[in-house]
Amino acid sequence: MKRFSSLFALFISIVAFSQQQGKLRKVATVGFLNVENLWDTIRSADYIDGTKDIKNPAFHRSIPIDSIKFLEAEKYDGPWSDGALIGKKVVREQGGSEEFTPKSPKNYGSKIYKAKLANEAKVISEMGAQYTKTAPAVVGLIEVENRQVIQDLVNEPALKKYDYGIIHYNSYDYRGIDVALIYQKRRFTPTNSLKKELVIYGDNGRREYTRDILVVTGFLDNEKVAFFMNHWPSRRGGEAISLPKRNAAAALLKQQMDSVRAADPTTKLFAMGDFNDDPVSPSLKNHLKAQANPKDLSEETPYLNLMYPLYKKGVASLAYQDAPNLFDQIIVSKNVISDQVTKEYSVYKTEIFAPAYLVNKEGNYKGYPFRSWNGDQFTGGYSDHFPAFVVLQKEP
C-alpha cells in the first residue's frame, strides 16, 4: 500500500498571511479535534421532552435505554426536528449506541473508555502549546455522543485545571453523534448559542438526519467573536453523488455567518470542523465562497480559508484508501487577518497538529493518523483525523 508519511510531516505549519516581526504578545489558540466516536459504555437513546424550552438541555437529552420505561413517551412516526416535537414527549433510538457497549464485538468497557478520554485530553491540552505555553482557549469537538462524555473529558487530569465550560446540543443524527464546543471560562464568555438543523434528502426522497451546525457567540479576551462548529455529510455513496448535501451545508453555514456579520460587522468569525470536502471543493469555493488568498477578500467575499496554502503544499489531515484529503479546516472572516500586530486579535499561525504520537509509525497505514479503532480492535490510538488549530496574537 502506498505510503503517506511525507504528507503527514510532524508539526506541519505555515505562518499565516502576515509577516509580523518580533515575538508574540498576548496569544490564544482556537482549534478542534475529531475525537473519533467518543461514546460512553451505556446503550442509550434520545429523549425529547417538547414541553421544555428548546434551549433547555432537558429538551433533548441522552438517556440509558433501561430508563425509558420510567419516562412518559408517546409513539411517534413524524419528522425529527425541534419544531415538530414541541409539546411532545418521545424517544428516538441512537443508531450507533449498541456498537459501543461491553457486550458488543468491540468489548467497549470502562477500561477502553477511560483510555479514550485520557488520549483525547492529552491531544487537546497540547494543541498550540508550543506557541502559547497553555491549552487552547476554545476547542471544537466532533463525534461526541452526549454531554456526559464531554463532561468526563474536561474532568480528565490533563484538562481539569483549565476549567472548561461546555456548549452542546443533541442532534437528530442517524448514528447519534454531535458537535460541541469547550472553552476556558476565564478567557471566553459565551453570550448566545444555538444549533441549526441541516435538512437534506437522499435519492429516495427521504430525509437524511445528520449533524447540526453549532453557532456560539461571545467574548474571547474581551473581543467579540463567533464560532461555527461543523461536521458536514460524508462522501458515503461517492463524492459526486453526495456533494449536493455538502453544498446544502455550505449554504446553511454561509447564511449563519452572514447573519452574525450583518448584526455586528466587528465580530470575528471562526468556522471550523470536518467538512468532508477539500478547500478546492465546490461546496467551500462556490457555495460558502471561502477565498484562498487574502487579496481576494471583500465585502461580498469576506471569508478566508486558512487551510488553502497547506492544501497546495500537499498537507493532509486524513487519508482513506491511500487518498489524502484536507477535510479539517478553519475559515475566518476578513477582520481576523492583519499584516500588523495590533491591540485586536489576528491570525499568527495555522497548523494541522501532527506530533509523532499521533502518526502511525509502521505497517500498511504508516504516516496515517493513529486512529482508535481497527475494525472492532481498540488500537490505543487517538483519532482517524489530525486536529487543526489557529494561534491568534495581539498587543497586550
Side-chain angles (χ1 to χ4, degrees), residues 5-6 8 27 36 40 48 54 73 96 141 148 197 248 257 262 264 271 303 308 332 355 379-380:
S5 57
S6 62
F8 296 113
V27 289
E36 192 191 357
D40 59 30
I48 298 93
I54 285 178
L141 301 175
Q148 185 58 54
E197 295 176 33
M257 294 177 75
D264 186 347
Y303 308 127
Y308 184 82
V332 299
T379 67

Side-chain angles (χ1 to χ4, degrees), residues 205-279:
R206 298 181 62 182
R207 182 175 170 186
E208 294 185 1
Y209 292 94
T210 187
R211 284 73 57 181
D212 303 321
I213 295 176
L214 175 63
V215 182
V216 179
T217 55
F219 291 88
L220 174 62
D221 295 332
N222 297 316
E223 289 190 37
K224 198 167 186 180
V225 295
F227 301 105
F228 305 81
M229 269 308 301
N230 299 263
H231 187 186
W232 288 4
S234 74
R235 293 186 171 189
R236 186 178 49 167
E239 177 184 353
I241 291 174
S242 59
L243 179 59
K245 300 170 188 177
R246 293 185 296 282
N247 289 344
L252 178 62
L253 174 59
K254 186 175 187 303
Q255 186 252 337
Q256 289 300 302
M257 294 177 75
D258 288 349
S259 176
V260 170
R261 190 166 174 270
D264 186 347
T266 67
T267 304
K268 293 177 167 64
L269 276 53
F270 300 82
M272 54 190 181
D274 176 1
F275 294 93
N276 272 305
D277 268 337
D278 288 311

Side-chain angles (χ1 to χ4, degrees), residues 149-168:
V149 301
I150 308 169
Q151 191 64 60
D152 291 344
L153 177 64
V154 300
N155 283 337
E156 280 290 302
L159 296 180
K160 189 174 179 61
K161 63 184 175 182
Y162 298 109
D163 191 24
Y164 279 102
I166 297 170
I167 299 174
H168 166 263

Side-chain angles (χ1 to χ4, degrees), residues 284-310:
L284 290 151
K285 280 188 66 179
N286 303 333
H287 293 267
L288 183 58
K289 300 187 185 303
Q291 301 301 299
N293 195 311
K295 67 181 179 59
D296 296 323
L297 295 173
S298 68
E299 286 302 307
E300 291 70 37
T301 55
Y303 308 127
L304 181 70
N305 194 328
L306 297 178
M307 295 306 186
Y308 184 82
L310 290 173

Side-chain angles (χ1 to χ4, degrees), residues 73-110:
E74 64 183 88
K75 185 178 167 115
Y76 182 73
D77 297 317
W80 295 97
S81 70
D82 287 352
L85 293 172
I86 291 175
K88 302 181 184 296
K89 295 182 178 182
V90 298
V91 172
R92 176 174 169 81
E93 292 187 8
Q94 293 179 350
S97 178
E98 193 167 5
E99 182 182 0
F100 293 91
T101 64
K103 294 182 180 180
S104 74
K106 281 184 165 58
N107 192 29
Y108 188 72
S110 59

